[in-house]
Amino acid sequence: MSTQQDTPPSGKGLFRTKTVEQSIRDTEEPEHSLKKSLSAVDLTVFGVGVIIGTGIFVLTGKVAKETAGPATALAFVAAGVVCALAALCYAEFASTVPVAGSAYTFSYASLGELVAWIIGWDLVLEFALGTAVVAVGWSGYVRSLLDNVGWSMPDGLSGPDVASGFGFDILAFVLVLILTVILVLGMKLSARVTTVVVIIKLVVVGIVIVAGLFFIKSANYSPFIPDAEKQPSGSGLDAPLVQLIFGYEPTNYGVMGIFTAASIVFFAFIGFDVVATAAEETKLPQRDMPRGILASLVICTLLYVAVSIVVTGMQHYSELSVSAPLADAFKAVGHPFYAGVISFGAAVGLTTVCMILLLGQTRVFFAMSRDGLLPRFFSKTHPRFGTPYRPTILLGVVIAIVAGFTSINELATLVNIGTLFAFVVVALGVIVLRRTRPDLHRAFRTPWVPLLPIVSVAASVWLMLNLPAETWLRFGIWMALGVIIYFVYGRRNSRMGKAR
């Protein structure tokens, strides 16, 4: 907790800021405080649990075959560097403002209420959509495993039919409801469940790396960086925004193809920022938040690089499967048993991704409710479990229904742009708070400020520009809806506004 004397709120109207001291005091209200039970190990497990998901099991083959070749490993490094720049900024904020809400809370303390609302609204979209997408993906893996043993789900309960659009994904629906109950029962239980699942997931990844080493052929790495080729030109809203604005045409393969690939594999890193949402439930946040954020990111980057090197060495990049590259690579070398193990690990591993994304969203919703920007009804914690049970139940049911009734594949890119937007805001917030509150005690300090945050902003914006214009349009519509809700409800009911 900060030992500085209380500082009155600064700014007026839309850009009034909430002081760090006030944010911390709000966490001490008995009915609105979260139970502290997490350690650095728990945070690292959460980070690894949410980052290692569909990315490592699917994107490796797609990117290697279509964009970067064996240099996919370098694409993972590039994407990891972008995340590391943002992680250093998150680490400073999470240790200085150990309050639930992540980028929303950080923005409120540095950039003002309107910006905080916008980023909070953005995170609600990112985490909710991410949870639903992952739940649907998990359901697909489970149905595949059931088919292998001769069981099959009824047509009407295996998700919306491609032709008619009707159907209900009962597996995705039930998964989200079960995870909702676990989150209501307490963070420590959630951490224990996550630990068990993460161990299983890491064992599977370890099997891929170790077993795959025996089937590597050096000839498959030649050429390591294939000759550059122009990508097929996009048209209209399908084209990357950078192409429509600057006329720049991304390339497949070559050196620039590595950076194009990085904008794709970035999806594999989404989720490490969720660790910051648990700052208020950490025993020693000033010490453990930076450790948890950075450790989980380093571990996952190393695993991604190792897996991509192994899989492109087992099979020539031009022959890799796009849908299931790891499993199919082992089938290609005559070991289908490992393919089954990988499918099992993917299905088990996605449960933690789904749960931690849901956890992140409920904490952001809880923080916004505690500030009055959403109904205060949702900011009361459970008297026994110390969890924000009301928003957890509400959001869990809503997301379960969404996951059950829609495939939402086309909306998955919104998760990317939402995360990158949060990275930009947090990096700018570090610069602003250094200038406005130099007196604050910072247990962890982002190095080379303002240079490093500026580089972080530039890298994130570049990846955003490589996303389709259609994604930007949908994102803009969601943001516009959020601004309307803020002026209709949030601004009038803000605790900061009423205090003034």
Side-chain angles (χ1 to χ4, degrees):
M1 184 181 299
S2 175
T3 58
Q4 307 293 332
Q5 294 181 351
D6 189 24
T7 304
S10 60
K12 295 182 179 180
L14 302 179
F15 298 99
R16 55 194 173 217
T17 58
K18 183 179 180 182
T19 65
V20 174
E21 292 83 359
Q22 181 61 51
S23 295
I24 294 176
R25 277 206 308 273
D26 287 348
T27 69
E28 297 169 352
E29 298 175 359
E31 291 185 339
H32 306 282
S33 63
L34 298 172
K35 186 177 180 181
K36 297 182 182 295
S37 59
L38 301 179
S39 64
V41 174
D42 293 326
L43 295 173
T44 302
V45 168
F46 273 136
V48 174
V50 73
I51 296 173
I52 297 183
T54 53
I56 199 169
F57 294 108
V58 176
L59 287 181
T60 304
K62 176 179 176 62
V63 170
K65 186 172 185 176
E66 301 176 359
T67 311
T72 297
L74 300 180
F76 275 116
V77 172
V81 168
V82 174
C83 290
L85 294 173
L88 291 169
C89 298
Y90 269 90
E92 175 169 326
F93 261 127
S95 61
T96 307
V97 194
V99 178
S102 185
Y104 159 75
T105 301
F106 307 156
S107 302
Y108 213 157
S110 57
L111 300 176
E113 185 173 281
L114 177 60
V115 177
W117 166 268
I118 290 174
I119 195 64
W121 187 246
D122 163 61
L123 292 174
V124 167
L125 171 70
E126 174 194 340
F127 294 148
L129 193 58
T131 304
V133 169
V134 173
V136 172
W138 174 88
S139 174
Y141 272 109
V142 172
R143 290 198 304 272
S144 176
L145 289 172
L146 291 176
D147 289 339
N148 289 341
V149 296
W151 297 347
S152 60
M153 296 292 297
D155 292 338
L157 297 178
S158 58
D161 181 71
V162 176
S164 65
F166 294 102
F168 186 75
D169 194 332
I170 187 67
L171 293 177
F173 177 79
V174 171
L175 172 68
V176 176
L177 291 185
I178 292 174
L179 297 179
T180 298
V181 172
I182 292 175
L183 289 175
V184 168
L185 294 179
M187 281 293 287
K188 199 60 186 177
L189 175 61
S190 304
R192 288 170 179 167
V193 172
T194 303
T195 300
V196 172
V197 176
V198 166
I199 290 173
I200 296 174
K201 185 159 38 176
L202 290 178
V203 168
V204 171
V205 174
I207 290 174
V208 172
I209 296 172
V210 175
L213 288 173
F214 295 95
F215 305 107
I216 289 178
K217 296 180 180 179
S218 59
N220 290 332
Y221 291 130
S222 180
F224 189 77
I225 302 179
D227 294 335
E229 299 176 1
K230 281 189 176 181
Q231 287 187 3
S233 298
S235 59
L237 294 178
D238 292 334
L241 192 63
V242 67
Q243 180 178 334
L244 297 179
I245 296 177
F246 303 108
Y248 167 78
E249 296 186 11
T251 63
N252 290 335
Y253 311 121
V255 175
M256 293 308 297
I258 295 173
F259 294 101
T260 302
S263 66
I264 300 173
V265 301
F266 175 81
F267 181 82
F269 288 91
I270 284 178
F272 84 84
D273 54 322
V274 179
V275 177
T277 66
E280 191 175 326
E281 294 157 278
T282 304
K283 296 176 183 177
L284 298 171
Q286 289 80 2
R287 183 196 69 183
D288 293 342
M289 286 305 302
R291 292 181 178 181
I293 292 174
L294 296 173
S296 59
L297 185 59
V298 170
I299 291 171
C300 293
T301 302
L302 293 175
L303 291 175
Y304 281 164
V305 170
V307 168
S308 60
I309 289 176
V310 167
V311 75
T312 53
M314 292 177 63
Q315 207 174 9
H316 194 267
Y317 70 90
S318 62
E319 300 174 354
L320 283 173
S321 162
V322 173
S323 59
L326 275 64
D328 289 347
F330 277 102
K331 289 181 181 178
V333 295
H335 289 273
F337 168 77
Y338 292 112
V341 172
I342 291 170
S343 297
F344 171 76
V348 173
L350 289 181
T351 59
T352 58
V353 180
C354 191
M355 182 173 72
I356 299 169
L357 287 174
L358 180 59
L359 179 150
Q361 190 198 27
T362 59
R363 270 48 180 182
V364 173
F365 199 96
F366 169 79
M368 296 174 74
S369 172
R370 190 164 57 186
D371 290 332
L373 300 180
L374 290 172
R376 289 271 288 174
F377 170 82
F378 294 106
S379 65
K380 287 190 176 181
T381 53
H382 195 282
R384 178 181 175 186
F385 305 121
T387 56
Y389 67 106
R390 289 175 176 175
T392 301
I393 293 173
L394 170 69
L395 296 171
V397 171
V398 170
I399 294 172
I401 294 173
V402 171
F405 279 109
T406 179
S407 62
I408 56 179
N409 290 330
E410 294 182 359
L411 298 181
T413 52
L414 280 172
V415 181
N416 270 16
I417 195 170
T419 302
L420 288 165
F421 180 64
F423 286 4
V424 170
V425 172
V426 170
L428 293 175
V430 167
I431 298 174
V432 172
L433 200 63
R434 284 283 187 98
R435 291 183 176 273
T436 57
R437 292 298 308 277
D439 58 301
L440 282 175
H441 171 68
R442 291 167 169 83
F444 178 89
R445 297 176 67 90
T446 303
W448 307 310
V449 174
L451 177 61
L452 188 145
I454 291 174
V455 173
S456 176
V457 170
S460 298
V461 169
W462 172 253
L463 293 185
M464 291 173 72
L465 291 174
N466 278 276
L467 294 172
E470 185 177 15
T471 299
W472 281 83
L473 178 61
R474 289 170 173 167
F475 183 67
I477 293 173
W478 177 260
M479 289 293 103
L481 177 61
V483 171
I484 293 172
I485 294 175
Y486 171 74
F487 281 104
V488 171
Y489 181 88
R491 188 183 183 192
R492 296 181 179 182
N493 294 276
S494 165
R495 294 181 68 194
M496 291 293 294
K498 290 182 177 180
R500 289 183 180 278

